[in-house]
Amino acid sequence: MCFALPEVKIYVELHHNSPFLVCMDLSLAKKETVDPTYLWIGPNEKPLTGSYQINITQTGKLMVKDFLESLSGLYTCTLSYKIIKSQTQEEKIITQTYDFMMFAYQEPDYSYQMAVRFTAKSCVGRYNELLFRVLKKTLDNLISDLSCHVTEPSYKCHFVKLPKHGLVPELFIAFQVSTFAPQWKSACNDAVDCEDNTNYNVLQARDRIEEFFRSQAYVFYHNTNKTLPAMHFMDHSFQMARMDSCRAGFGKNEGLHSNCATCCVVCGPGTFSRDADVTCETCSSILNYGAKVCP
């Protein structure tokens, strides 16, 4: 007699160990099983045996060590055990099959889109460009020790009609804060918690920049003896939003991976992703997990 249960999805962080997969359901675990045997089949459709990466216990539990993209896929365990009638010693073999889909994942790389506004004397002249360059250099210096920098800076001058005022020229400044990608990629090739470290630095950079503008507002608006310069930061104008990106071979898919919706999950067969993409793209010729290009 043979039974098959629904597939279970498991998400394992890259270079970490998987949880133990139990070759038994909860109801059966509460009963005794006679002469149980366990057969694990891996993604390559070959039986799994103990190795430096594969750990199978005597009770049929499986753990995969140092999980990689290539280890993603279907893991199937077949449990066989006997039911014995006490009176006749008649034996019946029961077989149950358990399917586990294991996926490698990474935390997304963080960056922050930020926007601020400054008052301006005019929308023409060189002073706007000068302030813009000084501001970028100041912010870069503020976060350079974190291996972070300001990218994609831009500004535009607009005339704004304020209540009880005429048209006022204002600078709308936008920029991103992210890590220096080349340095981090070389350091992250074999690091276990590299994404945690880089994201922590980006969060530190975010906090420093937010505090910088908060202090600007405090100086200008809480020191009554200080004359406001013609060009200054506008209080409450600081805005920011986190922007996630995934590394090559990984992507987000809330529909397919609802239990790991914020994760960058390895791209499956038939899909790929380039560096800094957020989702995996379709490519029918790809047969493996973690593809970075479409042949």
Side-chain angles (χ1 to χ4, degrees):
M1 188 176 297
C2 182
F3 300 93
L5 295 177
E7 178 183 282
V8 177
K9 291 183 179 180
I10 307 292
Y11 298 91
V12 185
E13 191 168 1
L14 196 67
H15 296 300
H16 286 65
N17 297 340
S18 77
F20 275 107
L21 306 186
V22 181
C23 189
M24 188 175 289
D25 59 80
L26 189 59
S27 61
L28 191 58
K30 297 177 180 179
K31 306 174 184 177
E32 69 172 15
T33 51
V34 180
D35 294 335
T37 60
Y38 311 91
L39 175 63
W40 280 97
I41 304 294
N44 59 2
E45 299 183 357
K46 294 181 181 179
L48 295 176
T49 56
S51 68
Y52 80 98
Q53 274 189 305
I54 303 298
N55 179 15
I56 302 176
T57 69
Q58 288 184 332
T59 55
K61 297 178 182 179
L62 169 70
M63 181 177 70
V64 183
K65 301 177 181 178
D66 189 22
F67 204 82
L68 303 173
E69 301 98 310
S70 59
L71 295 172
S72 300
L74 177 63
Y75 289 75
T76 299
C77 181
T78 301
L79 165 65
S80 299
Y81 62 96
K82 296 174 182 177
I83 295 179
I84 302 176
K85 289 186 177 180
S86 301
Q87 298 86 347
T88 63
Q89 295 297 302
E90 179 184 350
E91 298 181 2
K92 179 190 288 187
I93 296 178
I94 305 295
T95 301
Q96 296 235 124
T97 301
Y98 303 91
D99 289 337
F100 302 87
M101 281 296 300
M102 285 214 284
F103 302 95
Y105 81 91
Q106 292 179 312
E107 290 298 322
D109 290 322
Y110 298 165
S111 63
Y112 278 87
Q113 181 70 43
M114 298 185 175
V116 294
R117 287 161 68 171
F118 276 73
T119 60
K121 295 177 65 176
S122 169
C123 278
V124 295
R126 63 187 182 89
Y127 293 105
N128 294 340
E129 177 68 22
L130 181 61
L131 180 142
F132 176 70
R133 290 182 180 180
V134 169
L135 178 63
K136 181 184 182 304
K137 184 176 180 180
T138 301
L139 296 179
D140 272 333
N141 290 338
L142 188 65
I143 60 177
S144 61
D145 65 303
L146 299 171
S147 293
C148 295
H149 63 158
V150 171
T151 62
E152 301 183 25
S154 65
Y155 78 93
K156 288 185 178 180
C157 187
H158 298 278
F159 287 97
V160 179
K161 174 64 174 71
L162 300 176
K164 300 181 181 180
H165 290 80
L167 293 176
V168 178
E170 292 183 9
L171 294 184
F172 288 61
I173 300 175
F175 55 92
Q176 285 190 19
V177 175
S178 57
T179 59
F180 286 112
Q183 289 90 321
W184 281 121
K185 286 176 186 174
S186 62
C188 284
N189 286 337
D190 300 308
V192 174
D193 294 312
C194 187
E195 292 80 20
D196 293 340
N197 295 333
T198 58
N199 285 340
Y200 175 78
N201 279 23
V202 173
L203 293 175
Q204 290 286 97
R206 175 204 64 184
D207 291 345
R208 287 186 189 181
I209 291 176
E210 185 176 17
E211 178 58 30
F212 169 78
F213 286 113
R214 187 184 294 117
S215 65
Q216 294 288 309
Y218 183 87
V219 169
F220 291 147
Y221 290 94
H222 297 277
N223 188 344
T224 56
N225 296 323
K226 188 176 182 68
T227 302
L228 287 178
M231 303 179 72
H232 61 82
F233 170 70
M234 298 185 63
D235 196 11
H236 306 301
S237 71
F238 179 74
Q239 296 180 345
M240 65 178 173
R242 199 180 88 184
M243 313 288 288
D244 289 353
S245 63
C246 297
R247 302 191 180 189
F250 292 81
K252 289 186 176 185
N253 188 326
E254 187 174 353
L256 184 62
H257 303 296
S258 58
N259 290 334
C260 203
T262 62
C263 310
C264 292
V265 181
V266 64
C267 297
T271 63
F272 77 104
S273 75
R274 304 176 184 86
D275 193 38
D277 283 351
V278 180
T279 58
C280 301
E281 300 179 46
T282 301
C283 181
S284 58
S285 61
I286 294 174
L287 304 177
N288 58 307
Y289 282 87
K292 299 174 175 63
V293 295
C294 182

